[in-house]
Amino acid sequence: MLVVSACGGGGSGNTDEFDLQDNGTVSVESGQLLDVSMAAEVAEEASTEMFEASGFTPPGDEGESMVAIDNGDLLPMIFASDTNVDMDFARSGAALVAQLNEALALPADINVRFSDCGEANAFYAPREGNEGNPAVAEGGAIFICHELNELFSNFFTDPDQAFATSVFVIMHELGHALVNQLELPVLGIEESYVDGIAAVFLGESGLSVGSVLAGWFFANQGQAPFFDTHRAGPQRLGDLACWGVGADPDLLQDPVIDSISQQLVVTGRRCSEEYNQQLRGLQSVLGDNIRGGLTDLIVLSDESDQE
Ligand SMILES: [Zn+2]
């Protein structure tokens, strides 16, 4: 959530954040890499794939040079933790990230690192400004800190709710990565923009409960590290609950979600319209960088199935 780097495009803030990450590199003792096999397999399968090869034809064009070439993958990596944090979320998150490569065409590889950070946080770091850091691939790196998943597990009594929130966070950071890599045009605050990306990714996969719960979580945190350029907790809850419910009004049947979202009904926000506007916008800017559309983009594995 926080994002140091994606917000500023490589300001000095990156460096500080990165000091926290130095123990997470492959070669250092406390950050032993647990699992890259999945990433390697996925990369091998998909790295040189071109959408052209699958018969994809870009819209409104004779098919000249408009085809998105898929030169990059999300490369999930799970690192050992110095704490007793449960690794299930990291494993499920890594599996989810790996399967996104089937749909996403990226210009360069992006590392997705599940590791200790020294604080409960998550962020995207672009390559620019981090060229010497081996943790950061050509397309940057997403960091999902074990400590943050632990915080989710402690906050939510239901592990499915905790994981749904973790999935939202992964998609939020992926949003930052897409803004950077695909040079998506951002109007307004990038943090809100990528919250919208995450809400649409979850919404189109029937996982909107994760958007609402993430909003609830943020609204209940004090000055957590991921509070910087994000909107204030209550505002962010208002947005995320609205977009979650906007995508899936049936969520209001759940008494918890209903109570969280109640204030939105009172204020009369047009949540379905807000959601659909973002859906259309995202479809437009992603274009042929996403194969097969946004529907059911995210598939949870059995063990992490939440509903
Ligand atoms: Zn962010």
Side-chain angles (χ1 to χ4, degrees), residues 1-3 172-173 176 191 194 230:
M1 317 231 78
L2 149 66
V3 178
H172 173 103
E173 301 311 334
H176 282 301
E191 291 301 335
V194 301
H230 300 90

Short mmCIF file of all heavy atoms in Angstrom, two decimals, residues 1-3 172-173 176 191 194 230, ligand 1:
data_model
loop_
_atom_site.label_atom_id
_atom_site.label_comp_id
_atom_site.label_asym_id
_atom_site.label_seq_id
_atom_site.Cartn_x
_atom_site.Cartn_y
_atom_site.Cartn_z
N MET A 1 0.70 -1.02 0.00
CA MET A 1 0.00 0.00 0.00
C MET A 1 0.78 1.14 0.00
O MET A 1 0.83 1.83 -0.84
CB MET A 1 -0.75 -0.17 1.12
CG MET A 1 -1.11 -1.48 1.10
SD MET A 1 -2.40 -1.72 1.26
CE MET A 1 -3.28 -1.78 0.99
N LEU A 2 1.57 1.08 0.67
CA LEU A 2 2.36 2.22 0.65
C LEU A 2 3.17 2.15 -0.53
O LEU A 2 3.59 1.16 -0.92
CB LEU A 2 3.25 2.04 1.76
CG LEU A 2 4.49 2.67 1.47
CD1 LEU A 2 4.36 4.04 1.36
CD2 LEU A 2 5.44 2.34 2.42
N VAL A 3 3.39 3.24 -0.99
CA VAL A 3 4.32 3.12 -1.97
C VAL A 3 5.13 4.26 -2.09
O VAL A 3 4.84 5.28 -2.48
CB VAL A 3 3.69 2.96 -3.22
CG1 VAL A 3 4.73 2.89 -4.22
CG2 VAL A 3 2.94 1.77 -3.04
N HIS A 172 -3.46 -4.13 -5.31
CA HIS A 172 -3.13 -2.70 -5.20
C HIS A 172 -1.67 -2.47 -5.64
O HIS A 172 -1.39 -1.56 -6.43
CB HIS A 172 -3.35 -2.25 -3.75
CG HIS A 172 -2.90 -0.85 -3.43
ND1 HIS A 172 -3.78 0.20 -3.30
CD2 HIS A 172 -1.67 -0.34 -3.22
CE1 HIS A 172 -3.10 1.31 -3.03
NE2 HIS A 172 -1.81 1.01 -2.97
N GLU A 173 -0.79 -3.31 -5.16
CA GLU A 173 0.63 -3.15 -5.55
C GLU A 173 0.82 -3.48 -7.02
O GLU A 173 1.63 -2.84 -7.70
CB GLU A 173 1.53 -4.03 -4.67
CG GLU A 173 1.45 -3.75 -3.18
CD GLU A 173 1.59 -2.28 -2.81
OE1 GLU A 173 2.20 -1.52 -3.58
OE2 GLU A 173 1.05 -1.88 -1.76
N HIS A 176 0.11 -0.41 -8.92
CA HIS A 176 1.27 0.50 -9.01
C HIS A 176 2.25 0.02 -10.09
O HIS A 176 2.79 0.82 -10.86
CB HIS A 176 2.01 0.55 -7.68
CG HIS A 176 1.36 1.40 -6.64
ND1 HIS A 176 1.11 2.75 -6.80
CD2 HIS A 176 0.93 1.11 -5.38
CE1 HIS A 176 0.55 3.24 -5.70
NE2 HIS A 176 0.42 2.27 -4.82
N GLU A 191 -2.62 6.66 -5.47
CA GLU A 191 -3.08 5.68 -4.48
C GLU A 191 -4.57 5.36 -4.67
O GLU A 191 -4.98 4.20 -4.57
CB GLU A 191 -2.82 6.19 -3.07
CG GLU A 191 -1.35 6.24 -2.69
CD GLU A 191 -0.67 4.90 -2.79
OE1 GLU A 191 -1.35 3.87 -2.69
OE2 GLU A 191 0.56 4.87 -2.98
N VAL A 194 -4.99 3.28 -7.96
CA VAL A 194 -4.68 1.85 -7.89
C VAL A 194 -5.59 1.11 -6.91
O VAL A 194 -5.78 -0.10 -7.03
CB VAL A 194 -3.18 1.58 -7.58
CG1 VAL A 194 -2.31 2.19 -8.66
CG2 VAL A 194 -2.78 2.04 -6.21
N HIS A 230 -1.76 7.86 0.93
CA HIS A 230 -3.11 7.33 0.77
C HIS A 230 -4.13 8.30 1.37
O HIS A 230 -3.80 9.12 2.21
CB HIS A 230 -3.23 5.97 1.46
CG HIS A 230 -2.31 4.95 0.91
ND1 HIS A 230 -1.05 4.75 1.39
CD2 HIS A 230 -2.47 4.08 -0.10
CE1 HIS A 230 -0.47 3.80 0.70
NE2 HIS A 230 -1.30 3.37 -0.22
ZN ZN B 1 -0.14 2.20 -2.69
#
